[in-house]
Amino acid sequence: MFSCGGGSGGSPDPDVVLISYFFVCREHLEKMTHWFHRNPLKATAPVSFNYYGVASGPAASKICSDLRSSRARLLELFTDLSCNPEMMKNAADSYFSLLQGFINSLDESTQESKLRYIQNFKWTDTLQGQVPSAQQDAVFELISMGFNVALWYTKYASRLAGKENVTEDEAKEVHRSLKIAAGIFKHLKESHIPKLITPAEKGRDLEARLVDAYIIQCQAEAQEVTIARAIELKHAPGLIAALAYETANFYQKADHTLSSLEPAYSAKWRKYLLLKMCFYTAYAYCYHGQTLLASDKCGEAIRSLQEAEKLYAKAEALCKEYGETKGPGPTVKPSGHLFFRKLGNLVKNTLEKCQRENGFIYFQKVPTEAPQLELKANYGLVEPVPFEFPPTSAHWTPETLAAFDLTKRPKEDSTKPKPEEVVKPVKEPDIKPQKDTGCSIS
């Protein structure tokens, strides 16, 4: 959880403060759906879980039937606009608890289930969606489906923030959903991807560079909510500058993790990360300038605001480049967002104020070099919500597992060509942005 300081009031409850921001300025959220870049969901080939001859008895047949139906249900919910976190968690837990029987040993006498390699799974990637990866490994399925669950939380947060009349509970979920997504990605990277027999291919979703980028982006976007709320509640400029600087560093770090990827797949995503990095660095310089002015360092304040002006112009240029760059995911329009435009006016007005003060009161020399930002936020920093997959379903018993006889698997006839499993792209709902009402947030 994050907390927020500033002023003499101590550190208020984070959820209360967050809700205060959402209710003071609901209108600001109306186009937030088109503020966050989102890569496509992963697509997968159908899996029937039909093991004729191998699975014998009603208990084994029931497990296979439940796996098939719970998998289909989870895939269906990824694109269902009525799905909420409770529905998603219940559906995911239902499937993952059953899938654990294909992964974990029931009596801990061995490290893994005898069924781990019985089924081949195919999944596309968020950046290279047309070419699927395949592994005959239930761990690959657990990771890939878990990856999509995390992606769903990011898309849910974006969609929820774009609703009209955001309720108190919905407001909390925007921030929390991004932290949950970060926690899922982190858990996959640390606890499950290393268990794959076949290592993740370069440039694919399960490679460390991509997973890290998703984790960092989720943290940065959650902190964006914190920054907007801190501005609305008029917290100390030093706190806002530090939060903005930390958030800009998150975006820069995410971009760096993608820098060695094939540009054809990563260029669009990187443009988004870079424009957000420039935008929040401009925010940091703008509010740092206010802090300098309050300390009677007017010359340095002017130079800080000049740097903010330059970075804001660079962010505008990057917005245009992002819009012209081809790549996965729908194109968002940050430069048209009220939150983006408000910073431009704030920088301009604050710089003019500093210049007037310097001409009448301070008469200080403006440094040629921009001040070094050595800002550290003590409040508001986002950490992922810890995540664990559910334990193995109680439907898995030693008797049920024994009913799967791998010696009865039909021998593969290498002379016959295998039919290709079709991996159809996921048709995601088209979310239209709401009308921007012109709410003032600072």
Side-chain angles (χ1 to χ4, degrees), residues 42-183:
K42 296 161 70 69
T44 182
V47 180
S48 66
F49 294 103
N50 287 329
Y51 306 116
Y52 301 113
V54 175
S56 60
S61 297
K62 180 70 164 56
I63 285 279
C64 292
S65 174
D66 289 347
L67 276 164
R68 182 168 56 251
S69 60
S70 61
R71 187 180 198 264
R73 173 60 175 160
L74 186 50
L75 292 173
E76 181 183 87
L77 285 180
F78 288 144
T79 56
D80 185 347
L81 290 178
S82 67
C83 181
N84 58 44
E86 183 180 4
M87 293 167 63
M88 177 55 61
K89 186 180 188 307
N90 289 339
D93 285 355
S94 176
Y95 179 60
F96 290 138
S97 66
L98 289 167
L99 187 65
Q100 296 281 23
F102 276 49
I103 298 172
N104 301 320
S105 171
L106 295 182
D107 58 6
E108 298 183 355
S109 60
T110 58
Q111 290 186 336
E112 62 188 33
S113 169
K114 67 179 183 181
L115 303 176
R116 176 173 171 178
Y117 308 104
I118 194 175
Q119 176 69 53
N120 189 52
F121 298 95
K122 278 190 177 182
W123 282 90
T124 63
D125 293 271
T126 55
L127 298 187
Q128 303 180 44
Q130 301 304 311
V131 183
S133 298
Q135 290 197 34
Q136 191 149 329
D137 188 346
V139 172
F140 179 66
E141 166 74 356
L142 183 82
I143 295 167
S144 300
M145 191 70 86
F147 203 99
N148 248 17
V149 171
L151 287 174
W152 178 87
Y153 274 101
T154 70
K155 290 171 183 281
Y156 176 75
S158 180
R159 188 171 72 245
L160 191 64
K163 288 181 62 177
E164 292 186 77
N165 301 319
V166 178
T167 68
E168 188 170 330
D169 288 338
E170 287 170 340
K172 291 179 181 179
E173 285 180 11
V174 174
H175 191 267
R176 182 169 174 79
S177 291
L178 290 165
K179 296 194 296 179
I180 290 173

Side-chain angles (χ1 to χ4, degrees), residues 149-346:
V149 171
L151 287 174
W152 178 87
Y153 274 101
T154 70
K155 290 171 183 281
Y156 176 75
S158 180
R159 188 171 72 245
L160 191 64
K163 288 181 62 177
E164 292 186 77
N165 301 319
V166 178
T167 68
E168 188 170 330
D169 288 338
E170 287 170 340
K172 291 179 181 179
E173 285 180 11
V174 174
H175 191 267
R176 182 169 174 79
S177 291
L178 290 165
K179 296 194 296 179
I180 290 173
I184 296 172
F185 286 127
K186 187 172 185 285
H187 182 64
L188 294 176
K189 180 196 172 188
E190 295 177 352
S191 301
H192 297 281
I193 292 176
K195 294 178 183 177
L196 289 170
I197 300 300
T198 304
E201 302 169 64
K202 287 186 177 181
R204 299 286 186 170
D205 282 342
L206 307 190
E207 195 197 347
R209 289 178 295 179
L210 269 83
V211 183
D212 281 340
Y214 277 113
I215 294 169
I216 299 164
Q217 180 176 331
C218 287
Q219 290 177 278
E221 289 176 346
Q223 283 186 192
E224 288 192 55
V225 178
T226 309
I227 292 167
R229 172 263 296 156
I231 293 168
E232 181 61 38
L233 297 183
K234 302 186 186 305
H235 281 288
L239 172 64
I240 296 169
L243 281 171
Y245 184 60
E246 299 270 16
T247 303
N249 286 340
F250 266 140
Y251 278 116
Q252 185 177 44
K253 185 178 178 182
D255 173 67
H256 181 72
T257 65
L258 300 176
S259 61
S260 56
L261 289 177
E262 175 60 45
Y265 304 122
S266 63
K268 184 176 180 179
W269 192 5
R270 289 191 65 199
K271 288 289 185 187
Y272 165 78
L273 297 172
L274 282 170
L275 75 87
K276 284 293 186 76
M277 185 269 288
C278 283
F279 179 71
Y280 281 103
T281 307
Y283 246 116
Y285 272 109
C286 179
Y287 278 88
H288 184 55
Q290 293 184 23
T291 302
L292 290 169
L293 180 62
S295 302
D296 297 324
K297 298 177 180 179
C298 194
E300 292 179 48
I302 290 172
R303 187 62 188 89
S304 189
L305 267 298
Q306 289 172 341
E307 193 68 14
E309 193 173 49
K310 183 174 75 173
L311 285 162
Y312 181 77
K314 185 177 179 181
E316 283 188 307
L318 282 166
C319 283
K320 184 178 179 182
E321 291 177 26
Y322 165 78
E324 295 170 350
T325 304
K326 294 183 179 180
T331 300
V332 298
K333 298 179 179 179
S335 60
H337 196 293
L338 181 63
F339 192 60
F340 193 100
R341 300 196 306 270
K342 291 289 289 185
L343 176 60
N345 292 329
L346 180 64

